[in-house]
Amino acid sequence: MADVAAEAGVSRALVSIVFRNQPGAGQETRDRVLRVADEIGYRPDSAARLLARGRSRALGVMFTAHQTFHADLIEGIYAEADRHGYDVLLSATAQGRGEPKAVEALLSHRCEAVILLGPEATAAELDALGQRTVAVSVARRMRGAGIDSVRSAEGKGVRQAMDHLVEMGHRRIVHIDGGRGPGSAERRRAYRAAMRRHGLGSELRVIPGSHTEESGIGVGRLLASERDAGQPLPTAVLAANDRCAMGLLMAFSRTGVDVPGEVSVIGYDDSHLSHLMPVGLTTVRQDAVLMAEHAVRFARQRLDNKEVEPQEAVIDPKLVVRDTSRPPRAS
């Protein structure tokens, strides 16, 4: 600011007035100060200004690298945070970089609150984090964690998908499990309950997997090899998520399994990935925008009042029927 003042021929105090957009400087002076600042490459340090007031106005977001639905959530968080004058800092978990390290990086950059996308930490660990800072869990059901949370009604989404398949005549319906991924336990339970409710308990089959394309590819190869050995293919597969469904479609394409002619496939999330496939993916949509809005609002509310009881928002999902599901050939 001293450099700008010297170059513009005004006092440092006047430069401060201009940058804070306060009254006390004429329009000609303002234009000259801003022009000089632009010419010498000066930018006001808004972060330092906020820290001087005891605030950073920054929300930290922990996410998983390569998780497409997390990208959709982040886009929504950016938009909602910007509407309320907050910046967003990102920190990813990846191979060799676990959740504790990702969270500590956000806290070291003075984020006022952290929004955790699909955390795998235990309830006790999240409760301890909530004692240190404002924390919001997104896309995972949390019991006894003592922090705010936003999630989708996983059971409702699975029931919609299963009812859709059964109404079309499917009986041999397989579920690819999502392992420890967010929402996987609820989806697994809902699949088993739906199969039994429809009188298909004898056809129930859960194949271990994860929320990755590699998982879907592996299951696709397994089912194709079983077909080659004389076992019948399932007529439908409910994948762990859209990424898993994409891997499954890739494997089926390479092994000559026709989708949806021989096997119908349903994903979960309705991430932007599901719109990029050559064949439109039938999937269960989680409302990323609404989940993001709730997460930011919970963080803001708790920053204003840390004594309120933990809140939970449960968002209803919706089945989106596209091209990868149709009645089985036998019907």
Side-chain angles (χ1 to χ4, degrees):
M1 291 176 68
D3 292 339
V4 174
E7 186 72 20
V10 298
S11 68
R12 186 180 183 282
L14 195 57
V15 172
S16 177
I17 287 174
V18 171
F19 283 139
R20 288 184 289 114
N21 198 28
Q22 297 295 313
Q27 189 59 48
E28 182 181 347
T29 301
R30 288 180 182 275
D31 293 342
R32 185 167 74 254
V33 168
L34 293 174
R35 184 178 67 254
V36 168
D38 184 63
E39 289 173 352
I40 68 174
Y42 174 79
R43 295 292 182 273
D45 192 340
S46 58
R49 185 186 308 150
L50 288 168
L51 288 175
R53 300 174 187 170
R55 297 291 300 272
S56 69
R57 301 291 294 183
L59 302 178
V61 178
M62 184 204 77
F63 68 104
T64 301
H66 305 303
Q67 185 56 267
T68 52
F69 184 61
H70 287 188
D72 296 340
L73 287 169
I74 289 168
E75 187 174 0
I77 289 171
Y78 266 119
E80 184 67 11
D82 186 63
R83 274 194 287 270
H84 297 284
Y86 282 85
D87 200 0
V88 175
L89 299 181
L90 304 178
S91 184
T93 63
Q95 189 70 30
R97 192 174 195 264
E99 292 185 2
K101 189 170 185 178
V103 170
E104 287 303 321
L106 295 172
L107 296 180
S108 69
H109 284 83
R110 299 178 182 268
C111 292
E112 293 187 6
V114 290
I115 297 174
L116 314 171
L117 306 187
E120 294 186 358
T122 65
E125 290 169 337
L126 291 176
D127 187 67
L129 177 63
Q131 300 299 320
R132 298 173 56 198
T133 188
V134 172
V136 181
S137 169
V138 179
R140 181 185 170 196
R141 188 172 192 173
M142 297 306 309
R143 295 183 183 273
I147 65 173
D148 300 316
S149 64
V150 183
R151 63 181 178 88
S152 176
E154 308 285 358
K156 287 185 179 181
V158 170
R159 284 194 294 274
Q160 290 178 43
M162 294 297 292
D163 289 349
H164 169 66
L165 292 171
V166 172
E167 287 168 5
M168 288 193 298
H170 289 278
R171 295 294 180 268
R172 294 194 308 277
I173 306 171
V174 167
H175 175 49
I176 305 177
D177 184 27
R180 293 185 59 193
S184 296
E186 290 83 3
R187 296 173 197 177
R188 182 169 58 246
R189 285 194 293 267
Y191 160 78
R192 287 174 169 153
M195 289 292 281
R196 295 186 179 108
R197 177 166 54 87
H198 287 292
L200 302 175
S202 61
E203 299 287 352
L204 190 154
R205 184 183 182 187
V206 177
I207 302 177
S210 64
H211 288 181
T212 64
E213 292 86 356
E214 291 78 11
S215 172
I217 291 172
V219 172
R221 289 173 176 169
L222 170 66
L223 295 175
S225 67
E226 291 177 351
R227 174 203 60 181
D228 296 341
Q231 297 183 42
L233 283 166
T235 61
V237 178
L238 174 63
N241 68 348
D242 289 349
R243 290 180 62 194
C244 180
M246 182 177 183
L248 182 68
L249 293 175
M250 292 170 60
F252 278 168
S253 176
R254 294 169 183 169
T255 54
V257 176
D258 179 41
V259 176
E262 293 180 88
V263 182
S264 290
V265 174
I266 297 183
Y268 206 105
D269 286 343
D270 195 30
S271 63
H272 65 271
L273 185 69
S274 65
H275 306 276
L276 302 178
M277 297 180 183
V279 179
L281 177 67
T282 297
T283 184
V284 178
R285 174 182 296 159
Q286 298 195 79
D287 193 330
V289 172
L290 191 57
M291 293 173 77
E293 289 175 353
H294 275 84
V296 173
R297 185 172 77 249
F298 283 173
R300 291 175 45 243
Q301 290 175 346
R302 191 157 293 278
L303 286 169
D304 292 337
N305 183 4
K306 293 183 173 61
E307 303 304 318
V308 298
E309 289 295 314
Q311 304 177 82
E312 180 184 53
V314 182
I315 311 301
D316 282 341
K318 181 181 180 181
L319 179 69
V320 180
V321 179
R322 297 193 180 100
D323 303 323
T324 59
S325 61
R326 69 168 59 164
R329 285 178 176 170
S331 296

